[in-house]
Amino acid sequence: MSLLAETPHTRFAASDFAPQPAESRGLERDEVRLLVGTPDGLAHVRFRDLPDHLHAGDVLVVNTSATVNAEVDATLDGEPVVLHVAHHLEDGDRVVELRSSPDAGRAILDRTSGDVVRVGDVRLVLRSPWPGEASSPTGAGNRLWQASVAGDLDRQLEWNGRPIAYGYLDRRYPLADYQTVFGTRPGSAEMASAGRPFTPALVTRLVTAGVQLAPVTLHTGVSSQEAGEAPGPEWFEVPPTSARTINGARENGGRVIAVGTTATRAVESSVLGRHVVASRGWTSRVVTPAQPPRVVDGLVTGWHDPMASHLLLVEAVAGERLTQAAYDAAVAEGYLWHEFGDSALLLRR
């Protein structure tokens, strides 16, 4: 994995994390808070108010990737470890990350090619660092591996696995809590969380108001990245109907608003000239202020950690000034961070 040459300009103190899903806090999913940021100023509303801040003819680009159980207990040299499992590669191998047992609290970086990991009756052999040597941004060891698999790893994950979770949650939650209303194609190691506050009723209100939806797919990898670490390659697809919807909206003055960094990456990986084209495959596109979006005008997003590489994408879409103002206001108003937290709608026009 590589380090990005750019670093975010947005500065803020780490805020409170959401320790549980909105439903466990007595809220409906679309009752989380929504900060709306535009060049005209900021507003604090609820997510279910989203239709009031979009126009007929705007298009929301949504990610149809569904979350899978991607964390499972394993052994390495007879010792317990936690295995995070991501992409299927074309040759049948998988992308994996080894983490400490029992809580996956830290990455294990000192393993070598040929090491064998066992998950029940499944045997994995670490073949090579992924996507290449020096896959640790610290410069010591490798975080992600390409592993050959003997046995049915997907069955083990289905039967004995669990969603990837981090230490700020108050307990573990079932896979259903990590799905979005748009998720129909299983394949993401971690939830495309910007879509989580949408509900069927809210989608109906948006469509009734003339807001279009453009489904794309991007299967996420593991996101336990170090500060400054670039996102790894991810598989994506932009279907022809969505490309036509996005191009048509732009030609008619509508705004293209991506629901999350994943949808942004997918659609910006599919731009040819001034148009979105249907495409599928692996993308290494990283949207930053130095490599800005060409199509996306706005973003529905959660709140990212200080120095996270996703902040560069937010700055690239919304601009540094609006991003800083939004984060300052979110910290001051006590918005909740991470996958079960509050949201923002940031529009540059």
Side-chain angles (χ1 to χ4, degrees), residues 298-320:
L299 185 67
V300 174
T301 180
W303 300 96
H304 301 292
D305 285 336
M307 297 301 290
S309 59
H310 287 325
L311 267 177
L312 288 168
L313 184 149
V314 177
E315 290 178 348
V317 173
E320 293 175 8

Side-chain angles (χ1 to χ4, degrees), residues 74-77 79-84 96-102 104-112 115 117 126 135-136 138 140-145 224 226:
T75 59
L76 174 66
D77 296 335
E79 297 296 324
V81 295
V82 174
L83 187 69
H84 286 178
V96 301
E97 178 188 37
L98 295 168
R99 297 192 69 87
S100 59
S101 178
R106 61 176 176 80
I108 297 173
L109 303 175
D110 61 351
R111 306 314 300 184
T112 59
D115 283 349
V117 182
L126 304 185
S135 70
S136 166
T138 65
N142 293 288
R143 187 171 73 85
L144 301 179
W145 288 87
S224 48
E226 305 286 343

Side-chain angles (χ1 to χ4, degrees), residues 163-183:
I164 290 176
Y166 295 100
Y168 50 79
L169 298 180
D170 63 353
R171 63 179 176 86
R172 288 202 169 272
Y173 289 91
L175 183 60
D177 284 341
Y178 290 84
Q179 304 297 4
T180 74
V181 70
F182 307 114

